[in-house]
Amino acid sequence: MMAAFEYMLKDFVAKTIDATSAFDDKIKSQEWLSITTERVLAQRVVQTSIGSTLIHPTLGWHSPETVNERYKAIFNISPIDGNEIRTLSTLWILRHSVAHNAGIVTAHDAARINQPALAERVAHIDDAFIAQSFEFLKGIAIRIADRGGKSVLGHWFKTVRDYGINYPRDEAAYARIRQLATCIQSRTQPLPVTTEVMYQADWATYTH
């Protein structure tokens, strides 16, 4: 669950890079982003996109503050609210305990989450805890699609505004951008089909 959440945090940025050049200047200015020869050569083995090559190998996504800094710098949003930072930090520590310590919470980690009774003990993670954690993480994912999606739409429409409204010209690009502003809450739920009516409504919203 936490791995999927981390992937989502990264992939929203990666897919934005792949979908539009509207954020290129901001991406170029991010000091935490770099490309290495090894990373480029690795694409012979697994073909991937430019966005994935740039974003997915990066570290720092287990820090809610860092995530907010990166999203703020690129999209001008903070996807993780202040009252959620402590909870998310705790989930990352528990994830580390499960992945690397067979579920045993070290004394240091117990102190970090203000649970001294857990020191050197196995964390009890039951179905109820997992369900609550899922709902908590889903709220952040929905917020990213909403706030981040609006940011992407707004920036993209600025790049085409001077050319005037023209759905046939923008249809393919708009479909890619619009999907970034859509949160699918079930794998069985299909992506919505973008339409000219949606395009016209978004044009009115983001170009005035």
Side-chain angles (χ1 to χ4, degrees):
M1 180 170 60
M2 297 305 294
F5 179 73
E6 179 182 3
Y7 188 94
M8 180 274 302
L9 293 175
K10 294 178 178 180
D11 209 51
F12 185 86
V13 183
K15 290 296 189 291
T16 298
I17 293 171
D18 293 335
T20 177
S21 62
F23 290 86
D24 282 5
D25 288 342
K26 291 189 176 186
I27 294 299
K28 292 175 186 176
S29 69
Q30 302 306 305
E31 295 183 358
W32 54 278
L33 282 176
S34 63
I35 194 76
T36 64
T37 302
E38 288 80 9
R39 196 185 300 180
V40 174
L41 292 175
Q43 305 318 308
R44 281 199 304 255
V45 179
V46 179
Q47 295 296 315
T48 188
S49 69
I50 294 173
S52 294
T53 300
L54 277 173
I55 302 298
H56 280 285
T58 58
L59 304 176
W61 299 94
H62 294 186
S63 165
E65 294 87 353
T66 298
V67 171
N68 274 348
E69 288 173 3
R70 291 174 179 177
Y71 270 74
K72 186 72 174 178
I74 299 172
F75 303 110
N76 198 31
I77 68 165
S78 296
I80 303 166
D81 289 343
N83 62 346
E84 296 171 331
I85 288 177
R86 185 179 183 86
T87 299
L88 185 54
S89 296
T90 298
L91 289 176
W92 281 124
I93 290 171
L94 291 175
R95 178 262 177 198
H96 176 84
S97 299
V98 170
H100 300 288
N101 299 327
I104 297 173
V105 182
T106 65
H108 172 68
D109 286 341
R112 290 169 65 196
I113 62 176
N114 196 31
Q115 294 291 332
L118 277 179
E120 307 305 327
R121 301 184 65 181
V122 176
H124 178 61
I125 299 176
D126 58 14
D127 291 345
F129 179 85
I130 292 173
Q132 291 171 5
S133 299
F134 178 82
E135 289 301 316
F136 171 79
L137 297 174
K138 184 174 75 171
I140 298 174
I142 292 172
R143 191 178 306 133
I144 286 176
D146 178 43
R147 296 179 186 174
K150 289 175 180 175
S151 175
V152 175
L153 281 166
H155 274 75
W156 179 75
F157 272 110
K158 287 178 182 177
T159 69
V160 299
R161 178 176 53 195
D162 291 344
Y163 300 103
I165 188 168
N166 188 323
Y167 183 67
R169 179 198 66 214
D170 293 335
E171 183 177 3
Y174 173 72
R176 294 194 304 270
I177 298 297
R178 198 65 181 77
Q179 287 180 354
L180 287 167
T182 304
C183 185
I184 301 300
Q185 299 191 39
S186 171
R187 288 178 181 268
T188 61
Q189 180 183 350
L191 285 169
V193 177
T194 53
T195 66
E196 186 170 2
V197 172
M198 294 169 62
Y199 168 81
Q200 291 172 345
D202 283 337
W203 182 282
T205 298
Y206 294 105
T207 62
H208 295 91

PDB file of all heavy atoms in Angstrom, residues 16-53:
ATOM      1  N   THR A  16       2.797  14.219 -15.868  1.00  0.00           N
ATOM      2  CA  THR A  16       2.665  15.619 -16.277  1.00  0.00           C
ATOM      3  C   THR A  16       3.768  15.997 -17.253  1.00  0.00           C
ATOM      4  O   THR A  16       3.523  16.648 -18.279  1.00  0.00           O
ATOM      5  CB  THR A  16       2.714  16.541 -15.046  1.00  0.00           C
ATOM      6  OG1 THR A  16       1.614  16.238 -14.179  1.00  0.00           O
ATOM      7  CG2 THR A  16       2.629  18.002 -15.456  1.00  0.00           C
ATOM      8  N   ILE A  17       4.994  15.565 -16.958  1.00  0.00           N
ATOM      9  CA  ILE A  17       6.120  15.840 -17.851  1.00  0.00           C
ATOM     10  C   ILE A  17       5.876  15.208 -19.218  1.00  0.00           C
ATOM     11  O   ILE A  17       6.161  15.815 -20.253  1.00  0.00           O
ATOM     12  CB  ILE A  17       7.423  15.302 -17.236  1.00  0.00           C
ATOM     13  CG1 ILE A  17       7.774  16.101 -15.974  1.00  0.00           C
ATOM     14  CG2 ILE A  17       8.573  15.348 -18.232  1.00  0.00           C
ATOM     15  CD1 ILE A  17       8.915  15.522 -15.177  1.00  0.00           C
ATOM     16  N   ASP A  18       5.339  13.991 -19.220  1.00  0.00           N
ATOM     17  CA  ASP A  18       5.079  13.305 -20.483  1.00  0.00           C
ATOM     18  C   ASP A  18       3.935  13.937 -21.272  1.00  0.00           C
ATOM     19  O   ASP A  18       3.909  13.875 -22.501  1.00  0.00           O
ATOM     20  CB  ASP A  18       4.739  11.829 -20.221  1.00  0.00           C
ATOM     21  CG  ASP A  18       5.919  11.041 -19.679  1.00  0.00           C
ATOM     22  OD1 ASP A  18       7.068  11.435 -19.933  1.00  0.00           O
ATOM     23  OD2 ASP A  18       5.686  10.029 -18.987  1.00  0.00           O
ATOM     24  N   ALA A  19       2.980  14.538 -20.558  1.00  0.00           N
ATOM     25  CA  ALA A  19       1.760  15.023 -21.216  1.00  0.00           C
ATOM     26  C   ALA A  19       1.892  16.410 -21.818  1.00  0.00           C
ATOM     27  O   ALA A  19       1.204  16.725 -22.796  1.00  0.00           O
ATOM     28  CB  ALA A  19       0.596  15.007 -20.220  1.00  0.00           C
ATOM     29  N   THR A  20       2.754  17.256 -21.235  1.00  0.00           N
ATOM     30  CA  THR A  20       2.801  18.643 -21.685  1.00  0.00           C
ATOM     31  C   THR A  20       4.162  19.264 -21.422  1.00  0.00           C
ATOM     32  O   THR A  20       4.860  18.869 -20.484  1.00  0.00           O
ATOM     33  CB  THR A  20       1.719  19.481 -20.972  1.00  0.00           C
ATOM     34  OG1 THR A  20       1.826  20.852 -21.380  1.00  0.00           O
ATOM     35  CG2 THR A  20       1.848  19.405 -19.468  1.00  0.00           C
ATOM     36  N   SER A  21       4.503  20.232 -22.237  1.00  0.00           N
ATOM     37  CA  SER A  21       5.745  20.996 -22.037  1.00  0.00           C
ATOM     38  C   SER A  21       5.501  22.234 -21.181  1.00  0.00           C
ATOM     39  O   SER A  21       6.426  23.019 -20.947  1.00  0.00           O
ATOM     40  CB  SER A  21       6.318  21.422 -23.393  1.00  0.00           C
ATOM     41  OG  SER A  21       5.392  22.270 -24.076  1.00  0.00           O
ATOM     42  N   ALA A  22       4.291  22.400 -20.680  1.00  0.00           N
ATOM     43  CA  ALA A  22       3.936  23.615 -19.950  1.00  0.00           C
ATOM     44  C   ALA A  22       4.756  23.813 -18.685  1.00  0.00           C
ATOM     45  O   ALA A  22       4.911  24.935 -18.203  1.00  0.00           O
ATOM     46  CB  ALA A  22       2.444  23.599 -19.604  1.00  0.00           C
ATOM     47  N   PHE A  23       5.288  22.712 -18.129  1.00  0.00           N
ATOM     48  CA  PHE A  23       6.044  22.810 -16.883  1.00  0.00           C
ATOM     49  C   PHE A  23       7.550  22.650 -17.089  1.00  0.00           C
ATOM     50  O   PHE A  23       8.292  22.521 -16.122  1.00  0.00           O
ATOM     51  CB  PHE A  23       5.554  21.745 -15.897  1.00  0.00           C
ATOM     52  CG  PHE A  23       4.171  22.005 -15.373  1.00  0.00           C
ATOM     53  CD1 PHE A  23       3.056  21.568 -16.067  1.00  0.00           C
ATOM     54  CD2 PHE A  23       3.970  22.697 -14.190  1.00  0.00           C
ATOM     55  CE1 PHE A  23       1.781  21.809 -15.602  1.00  0.00           C
ATOM     56  CE2 PHE A  23       2.702  22.953 -13.711  1.00  0.00           C
ATOM     57  CZ  PHE A  23       1.599  22.498 -14.414  1.00  0.00           C
ATOM     58  N   ASP A  24       8.007  22.683 -18.340  1.00  0.00           N
ATOM     59  CA  ASP A  24       9.411  22.412 -18.617  1.00  0.00           C
ATOM     60  C   ASP A  24      10.348  23.358 -17.876  1.00  0.00           C
ATOM     61  O   ASP A  24      11.372  22.931 -17.317  1.00  0.00           O
ATOM     62  CB  ASP A  24       9.688  22.491 -20.113  1.00  0.00           C
ATOM     63  CG  ASP A  24       9.228  21.242 -20.858  1.00  0.00           C
ATOM     64  OD1 ASP A  24       8.613  20.359 -20.222  1.00  0.00           O
ATOM     65  OD2 ASP A  24       9.483  21.146 -22.069  1.00  0.00           O
ATOM     66  N   ASP A  25      10.045  24.637 -17.859  1.00  0.00           N
ATOM     67  CA  ASP A  25      10.933  25.592 -17.186  1.00  0.00           C
ATOM     68  C   ASP A  25      11.034  25.305 -15.695  1.00  0.00           C
ATOM     69  O   ASP A  25      12.123  25.409 -15.103  1.00  0.00           O
ATOM     70  CB  ASP A  25      10.446  27.021 -17.412  1.00  0.00           C
ATOM     71  CG  ASP A  25      10.680  27.504 -18.843  1.00  0.00           C
ATOM     72  OD1 ASP A  25      11.506  26.885 -19.541  1.00  0.00           O
ATOM     73  OD2 ASP A  25      10.028  28.478 -19.255  1.00  0.00           O
ATOM     74  N   LYS A  26       9.906  24.937 -15.084  1.00  0.00           N
ATOM     75  CA  LYS A  26       9.938  24.616 -13.663  1.00  0.00           C
ATOM     76  C   LYS A  26      10.717  23.325 -13.408  1.00  0.00           C
ATOM     77  O   LYS A  26      11.467  23.224 -12.436  1.00  0.00           O
ATOM     78  CB  LYS A  26       8.519  24.501 -13.114  1.00  0.00           C
ATOM     79  CG  LYS A  26       7.778  25.821 -13.062  1.00  0.00           C
ATOM     80  CD  LYS A  26       6.469  25.696 -12.310  1.00  0.00           C
ATOM     81  CE  LYS A  26       5.795  27.050 -12.173  1.00  0.00           C
ATOM     82  NZ  LYS A  26       4.593  27.018 -11.322  1.00  0.00           N
ATOM     83  N   ILE A  27      10.539  22.343 -14.281  1.00  0.00           N
ATOM     84  CA  ILE A  27      11.262  21.080 -14.123  1.00  0.00           C
ATOM     85  C   ILE A  27      12.763  21.311 -14.253  1.00  0.00           C
ATOM     86  O   ILE A  27      13.563  20.767 -13.480  1.00  0.00           O
ATOM     87  CB  ILE A  27      10.780  20.054 -15.169  1.00  0.00           C
ATOM     88  CG1 ILE A  27       9.317  19.654 -14.907  1.00  0.00           C
ATOM     89  CG2 ILE A  27      11.672  18.818 -15.173  1.00  0.00           C
ATOM     90  CD1 ILE A  27       9.081  18.996 -13.565  1.00  0.00           C
ATOM     91  N   LYS A  28      13.165  22.135 -15.187  1.00  0.00           N
ATOM     92  CA  LYS A  28      14.596  22.404 -15.387  1.00  0.00           C
ATOM     93  C   LYS A  28      15.233  23.060 -14.172  1.00  0.00           C
ATOM     94  O   LYS A  28      16.440  22.921 -13.949  1.00  0.00           O
ATOM     95  CB  LYS A  28      14.782  23.311 -16.611  1.00  0.00           C
ATOM     96  CG  LYS A  28      14.443  22.661 -17.933  1.00  0.00           C
ATOM     97  CD  LYS A  28      14.536  23.689 -19.066  1.00  0.00           C
ATOM     98  CE  LYS A  28      14.052  23.113 -20.380  1.00  0.00           C
ATOM     99  NZ  LYS A  28      14.053  24.147 -21.459  1.00  0.00           N
ATOM    100  N   SER A  29      14.436  23.766 -13.374  1.00  0.00           N
ATOM    101  CA  SER A  29      14.987  24.502 -12.230  1.00  0.00           C
ATOM    102  C   SER A  29      15.043  23.683 -10.940  1.00  0.00           C
ATOM    103  O   SER A  29      15.524  24.174  -9.918  1.00  0.00           O
ATOM    104  CB  SER A  29      14.161  25.769 -11.985  1.00  0.00           C
ATOM    105  OG  SER A  29      12.861  25.444 -11.511  1.00  0.00           O
ATOM    106  N   GLN A  30      14.572  22.439 -10.981  1.00  0.00           N
ATOM    107  CA  GLN A  30      14.524  21.617  -9.766  1.00  0.00           C
ATOM    108  C   GLN A  30      15.888  20.973  -9.504  1.00  0.00           C
ATOM    109  O   GLN A  30      16.322  20.096 -10.238  1.00  0.00           O
ATOM    110  CB  GLN A  30      13.447  20.543  -9.889  1.00  0.00           C
ATOM    111  CG  GLN A  30      12.053  21.069 -10.133  1.00  0.00           C
ATOM    112  CD  GLN A  30      11.625  22.087  -9.113  1.00  0.00           C
ATOM    113  OE1 GLN A  30      11.648  21.837  -7.906  1.00  0.00           O
ATOM    114  NE2 GLN A  30      11.230  23.265  -9.576  1.00  0.00           N
ATOM    115  N   GLU A  31      16.558  21.408  -8.445  1.00  0.00           N
ATOM    116  CA  GLU A  31      17.896  20.909  -8.154  1.00  0.00           C
ATOM    117  C   GLU A  31      17.898  19.442  -7.737  1.00  0.00           C
ATOM    118  O   GLU A  31      18.940  18.782  -7.813  1.00  0.00           O
ATOM    119  CB  GLU A  31      18.548  21.767  -7.072  1.00  0.00           C
ATOM    120  CG  GLU A  31      18.802  23.208  -7.526  1.00  0.00           C
ATOM    121  CD  GLU A  31      19.502  24.028  -6.472  1.00  0.00           C
ATOM    122  OE1 GLU A  31      19.754  23.486  -5.374  1.00  0.00           O
ATOM    123  OE2 GLU A  31      19.802  25.219  -6.732  1.00  0.00           O
ATOM    124  N   TRP A  32      16.774  18.922  -7.300  1.00  0.00           N
ATOM    125  CA  TRP A  32      16.713  17.527  -6.870  1.00  0.00           C
ATOM    126  C   TRP A  32      16.594  16.575  -8.063  1.00  0.00           C
ATOM    127  O   TRP A  32      16.663  15.359  -7.890  1.00  0.00           O
ATOM    128  CB  TRP A  32      15.539  17.299  -5.908  1.00  0.00           C
ATOM    129  CG  TRP A  32      14.205  17.740  -6.416  1.00  0.00           C
ATOM    130  CD1 TRP A  32      13.694  18.999  -6.393  1.00  0.00           C
ATOM    131  CD2 TRP A  32      13.207  16.927  -7.052  1.00  0.00           C
ATOM    132  NE1 TRP A  32      12.447  19.027  -6.964  1.00  0.00           N
ATOM    133  CE2 TRP A  32      12.115  17.773  -7.371  1.00  0.00           C
ATOM    134  CE3 TRP A  32      13.130  15.570  -7.361  1.00  0.00           C
ATOM    135  CZ2 TRP A  32      10.961  17.288  -7.983  1.00  0.00           C
ATOM    136  CZ3 TRP A  32      11.983  15.096  -7.983  1.00  0.00           C
ATOM    137  CH2 TRP A  32      10.912  15.953  -8.282  1.00  0.00           C
ATOM    138  N   LEU A  33      16.445  17.130  -9.253  1.00  0.00           N
ATOM    139  CA  LEU A  33      16.349  16.312 -10.450  1.00  0.00           C
ATOM    140  C   LEU A  33      17.662  16.321 -11.212  1.00  0.00           C
ATOM    141  O   LEU A  33      18.248  17.382 -11.447  1.00  0.00           O
ATOM    142  CB  LEU A  33      15.245  16.829 -11.368  1.00  0.00           C
ATOM    143  CG  LEU A  33      13.817  16.475 -10.989  1.00  0.00           C
ATOM    144  CD1 LEU A  33      12.843  17.147 -11.929  1.00  0.00           C
ATOM    145  CD2 LEU A  33      13.612  14.979 -10.994  1.00  0.00           C
ATOM    146  N   SER A  34      18.129  15.159 -11.582  1.00  0.00           N
ATOM    147  CA  SER A  34      19.330  15.051 -12.411  1.00  0.00           C
ATOM    148  C   SER A  34      19.230  13.761 -13.212  1.00  0.00           C
ATOM    149  O   SER A  34      18.469  12.849 -12.869  1.00  0.00           O
ATOM    150  CB  SER A  34      20.596  15.049 -11.556  1.00  0.00           C
ATOM    151  OG  SER A  34      20.614  13.919 -10.695  1.00  0.00           O
ATOM    152  N   ILE A  35      20.006  13.694 -14.259  1.00  0.00           N
ATOM    153  CA  ILE A  35      20.016  12.511 -15.105  1.00  0.00           C
ATOM    154  C   ILE A  35      21.451  11.999 -15.193  1.00  0.00           C
ATOM    155  O   ILE A  35      22.384  12.773 -15.262  1.00  0.00           O
ATOM    156  CB  ILE A  35      19.454  12.820 -16.506  1.00  0.00           C
ATOM    157  CG1 ILE A  35      19.133  11.542 -17.269  1.00  0.00           C
ATOM    158  CG2 ILE A  35      20.353  13.725 -17.289  1.00  0.00           C
ATOM    159  CD1 ILE A  35      17.884  10.860 -16.812  1.00  0.00           C
ATOM    160  N   THR A  36      21.609  10.692 -15.145  1.00  0.00           N
ATOM    161  CA  THR A  36      22.935  10.101 -15.234  1.00  0.00           C
ATOM    162  C   THR A  36      23.038   9.237 -16.479  1.00  0.00           C
ATOM    163  O   THR A  36      22.027   8.785 -17.024  1.00  0.00           O
ATOM    164  CB  THR A  36      23.234   9.226 -13.997  1.00  0.00           C
ATOM    165  OG1 THR A  36      22.313   8.125 -13.978  1.00  0.00           O
ATOM    166  CG2 THR A  36      23.109  10.036 -12.713  1.00  0.00           C
ATOM    167  N   THR A  37      24.262   9.014 -16.903  1.00  0.00           N
ATOM    168  CA  THR A  37      24.481   8.151 -18.065  1.00  0.00           C
ATOM    169  C   THR A  37      23.927   6.764 -17.811  1.00  0.00           C
ATOM    170  O   THR A  37      23.297   6.150 -18.686  1.00  0.00           O
ATOM    171  CB  THR A  37      25.983   8.069 -18.379  1.00  0.00           C
ATOM    172  OG1 THR A  37      26.477   9.384 -18.618  1.00  0.00           O
ATOM    173  CG2 THR A  37      26.235   7.200 -19.599  1.00  0.00           C
ATOM    174  N   GLU A  38      24.137   6.249 -16.596  1.00  0.00           N
ATOM    175  CA  GLU A  38      23.647   4.907 -16.259  1.00  0.00           C
ATOM    176  C   GLU A  38      22.136   4.812 -16.395  1.00  0.00           C
ATOM    177  O   GLU A  38      21.596   3.814 -16.868  1.00  0.00           O
ATOM    178  CB  GLU A  38      24.061   4.549 -14.822  1.00  0.00           C
ATOM    179  CG  GLU A  38      25.536   4.264 -14.650  1.00  0.00           C
ATOM    180  CD  GLU A  38      26.373   5.544 -14.558  1.00  0.00           C
ATOM    181  OE1 GLU A  38      25.778   6.644 -14.463  1.00  0.00           O
ATOM    182  OE2 GLU A  38      27.613   5.439 -14.594  1.00  0.00           O
ATOM    183  N   ARG A  39      21.462   5.877 -15.984  1.00  0.00           N
ATOM    184  CA  ARG A  39      19.997   5.859 -16.057  1.00  0.00           C
ATOM    185  C   ARG A  39      19.522   5.834 -17.502  1.00  0.00           C
ATOM    186  O   ARG A  39      18.553   5.165 -17.841  1.00  0.00           O
ATOM    187  CB  ARG A  39      19.420   7.074 -15.320  1.00  0.00           C
ATOM    188  CG  ARG A  39      17.939   6.936 -15.007  1.00  0.00           C
ATOM    189  CD  ARG A  39      17.375   8.185 -14.390  1.00  0.00           C
ATOM    190  NE  ARG A  39      18.017   8.537 -13.138  1.00  0.00           N
ATOM    191  CZ  ARG A  39      17.675   9.607 -12.416  1.00  0.00           C
ATOM    192  NH1 ARG A  39      16.718  10.412 -12.833  1.00  0.00           N
ATOM    193  NH2 ARG A  39      18.302   9.877 -11.295  1.00  0.00           N
ATOM    194  N   VAL A  40      20.203   6.578 -18.355  1.00  0.00           N
ATOM    195  CA  VAL A  40      19.835   6.589 -19.771  1.00  0.00           C
ATOM    196  C   VAL A  40      20.111   5.235 -20.410  1.00  0.00           C
ATOM    197  O   VAL A  40      19.277   4.682 -21.136  1.00  0.00           O
ATOM    198  CB  VAL A  40      20.597   7.697 -20.520  1.00  0.00           C
ATOM    199  CG1 VAL A  40      20.323   7.601 -22.019  1.00  0.00           C
ATOM    200  CG2 VAL A  40      20.187   9.072 -19.994  1.00  0.00           C
ATOM    201  N   LEU A  41      21.284   4.670 -20.136  1.00  0.00           N
ATOM    202  CA  LEU A  41      21.639   3.384 -20.725  1.00  0.00           C
ATOM    203  C   LEU A  41      20.700   2.272 -20.277  1.00  0.00           C
ATOM    204  O   LEU A  41      20.460   1.314 -21.019  1.00  0.00           O
ATOM    205  CB  LEU A  41      23.082   3.026 -20.367  1.00  0.00           C
ATOM    206  CG  LEU A  41      24.169   3.911 -20.995  1.00  0.00           C
ATOM    207  CD1 LEU A  41      25.538   3.521 -20.461  1.00  0.00           C
ATOM    208  CD2 LEU A  41      24.138   3.805 -22.514  1.00  0.00           C
ATOM    209  N   ALA A  42      20.156   2.392 -19.066  1.00  0.00           N
ATOM    210  CA  ALA A  42      19.258   1.358 -18.548  1.00  0.00           C
ATOM    211  C   ALA A  42      17.989   1.230 -19.373  1.00  0.00           C
ATOM    212  O   ALA A  42      17.306   0.191 -19.320  1.00  0.00           O
ATOM    213  CB  ALA A  42      18.897   1.657 -17.093  1.00  0.00           C
ATOM    214  N   GLN A  43      17.672   2.255 -20.157  1.00  0.00           N
ATOM    215  CA  GLN A  43      16.447   2.214 -20.950  1.00  0.00           C
ATOM    216  C   GLN A  43      16.512   1.183 -22.068  1.00  0.00           C
ATOM    217  O   GLN A  43      15.499   0.856 -22.673  1.00  0.00           O
ATOM    218  CB  GLN A  43      16.142   3.598 -21.521  1.00  0.00           C
ATOM    219  CG  GLN A  43      16.058   4.700 -20.476  1.00  0.00           C
ATOM    220  CD  GLN A  43      15.310   4.278 -19.236  1.00  0.00           C
ATOM    221  OE1 GLN A  43      14.187   3.785 -19.310  1.00  0.00           O
ATOM    222  NE2 GLN A  43      15.925   4.445 -18.075  1.00  0.00           N
ATOM    223  N   ARG A  44      17.722   0.657 -22.347  1.00  0.00           N
ATOM    224  CA  ARG A  44      17.811  -0.440 -23.313  1.00  0.00           C
ATOM    225  C   ARG A  44      17.085  -1.671 -22.795  1.00  0.00           C
ATOM    226  O   ARG A  44      16.571  -2.469 -23.557  1.00  0.00           O
ATOM    227  CB  ARG A  44      19.287  -0.794 -23.557  1.00  0.00           C
ATOM    228  CG  ARG A  44      20.004   0.131 -24.492  1.00  0.00           C
ATOM    229  CD  ARG A  44      21.264  -0.537 -25.028  1.00  0.00           C
ATOM    230  NE  ARG A  44      22.131  -0.965 -23.944  1.00  0.00           N
ATOM    231  CZ  ARG A  44      23.263  -0.336 -23.602  1.00  0.00           C
ATOM    232  NH1 ARG A  44      23.638   0.750 -24.247  1.00  0.00           N
ATOM    233  NH2 ARG A  44      23.996  -0.789 -22.619  1.00  0.00           N
ATOM    234  N   VAL A  45      17.088  -1.838 -21.481  1.00  0.00           N
ATOM    235  CA  VAL A  45      16.487  -3.026 -20.869  1.00  0.00           C
ATOM    236  C   VAL A  45      14.990  -2.836 -20.679  1.00  0.00           C
ATOM    237  O   VAL A  45      14.186  -3.713 -20.989  1.00  0.00           O
ATOM    238  CB  VAL A  45      17.163  -3.331 -19.516  1.00  0.00           C
ATOM    239  CG1 VAL A  45      16.515  -4.552 -18.867  1.00  0.00           C
ATOM    240  CG2 VAL A  45      18.664  -3.549 -19.710  1.00  0.00           C
ATOM    241  N   VAL A  46      14.592  -1.685 -20.141  1.00  0.00           N
ATOM    242  CA  VAL A  46      13.180  -1.402 -19.894  1.00  0.00           C
ATOM    243  C   VAL A  46      12.847  -0.060 -20.534  1.00  0.00           C
ATOM    244  O   VAL A  46      13.273   0.987 -20.061  1.00  0.00           O
ATOM    245  CB  VAL A  46      12.876  -1.352 -18.375  1.00  0.00           C
ATOM    246  CG1 VAL A  46      11.397  -1.040 -18.156  1.00  0.00           C
ATOM    247  CG2 VAL A  46      13.255  -2.659 -17.702  1.00  0.00           C
ATOM    248  N   GLN A  47      12.115  -0.097 -21.625  1.00  0.00           N
ATOM    249  CA  GLN A  47      11.713   1.133 -22.283  1.00  0.00           C
ATOM    250  C   GLN A  47      10.729   1.889 -21.397  1.00  0.00           C
ATOM    251  O   GLN A  47       9.781   1.314 -20.866  1.00  0.00           O
ATOM    252  CB  GLN A  47      11.067   0.827 -23.634  1.00  0.00           C
ATOM    253  CG  GLN A  47      12.026   0.205 -24.637  1.00  0.00           C
ATOM    254  CD  GLN A  47      13.153   1.151 -25.004  1.00  0.00           C
ATOM    255  OE1 GLN A  47      12.917   2.331 -25.257  1.00  0.00           O
ATOM    256  NE2 GLN A  47      14.374   0.654 -25.024  1.00  0.00           N
ATOM    257  N   THR A  48      10.970   3.167 -21.218  1.00  0.00           N
ATOM    258  CA  THR A  48      10.098   3.961 -20.362  1.00  0.00           C
ATOM    259  C   THR A  48       9.987   5.361 -20.930  1.00  0.00           C
ATOM    260  O   THR A  48      10.560   5.672 -21.972  1.00  0.00           O
ATOM    261  CB  THR A  48      10.630   3.986 -18.920  1.00  0.00           C
ATOM    262  OG1 THR A  48       9.674   4.611 -18.068  1.00  0.00           O
ATOM    263  CG2 THR A  48      11.964   4.730 -18.835  1.00  0.00           C
ATOM    264  N   SER A  49       9.268   6.230 -20.253  1.00  0.00           N
ATOM    265  CA  SER A  49       9.039   7.579 -20.746  1.00  0.00           C
ATOM    266  C   SER A  49      10.077   8.542 -20.167  1.00  0.00           C
ATOM    267  O   SER A  49      10.797   8.231 -19.213  1.00  0.00           O
ATOM    268  CB  SER A  49       7.639   8.042 -20.346  1.00  0.00           C
ATOM    269  OG  SER A  49       7.573   8.244 -18.941  1.00  0.00           O
ATOM    270  N   ILE A  50      10.124   9.737 -20.733  1.00  0.00           N
ATOM    271  CA  ILE A  50      11.024  10.770 -20.229  1.00  0.00           C
ATOM    272  C   ILE A  50      10.677  11.117 -18.786  1.00  0.00           C
ATOM    273  O   ILE A  50      11.555  11.241 -17.927  1.00  0.00           O
ATOM    274  CB  ILE A  50      10.949  12.017 -21.126  1.00  0.00           C
ATOM    275  CG1 ILE A  50      11.499  11.710 -22.516  1.00  0.00           C
ATOM    276  CG2 ILE A  50      11.703  13.193 -20.499  1.00  0.00           C
ATOM    277  CD1 ILE A  50      11.301  12.826 -23.521  1.00  0.00           C
ATOM    278  N   GLY A  51       9.389  11.275 -18.514  1.00  0.00           N
ATOM    279  CA  GLY A  51       8.975  11.616 -17.159  1.00  0.00           C
ATOM    280  C   GLY A  51       9.383  10.564 -16.151  1.00  0.00           C
ATOM    281  O   GLY A  51       9.896  10.880 -15.070  1.00  0.00           O
ATOM    282  N   SER A  52       9.164   9.298 -16.483  1.00  0.00           N
ATOM    283  CA  SER A  52       9.537   8.215 -15.571  1.00  0.00           C
ATOM    284  C   SER A  52      11.037   8.156 -15.361  1.00  0.00           C
ATOM    285  O   SER A  52      11.519   7.920 -14.249  1.00  0.00           O
ATOM    286  CB  SER A  52       9.025   6.874 -16.109  1.00  0.00           C
ATOM    287  OG  SER A  52       7.610   6.846 -16.091  1.00  0.00           O
ATOM    288  N   THR A  53      11.806   8.364 -16.433  1.00  0.00           N
ATOM    289  CA  THR A  53      13.262   8.350 -16.317  1.00  0.00           C
ATOM    290  C   THR A  53      13.748   9.435 -15.369  1.00  0.00           C
ATOM    291  O   THR A  53      14.659   9.222 -14.566  1.00  0.00           O
ATOM    292  CB  THR A  53      13.913   8.549 -17.704  1.00  0.00           C
ATOM    293  OG1 THR A  53      13.492   7.495 -18.571  1.00  0.00           O
ATOM    294  CG2 THR A  53      15.430   8.523 -17.614  1.00  0.00           C
TER     295      THR A  53
END
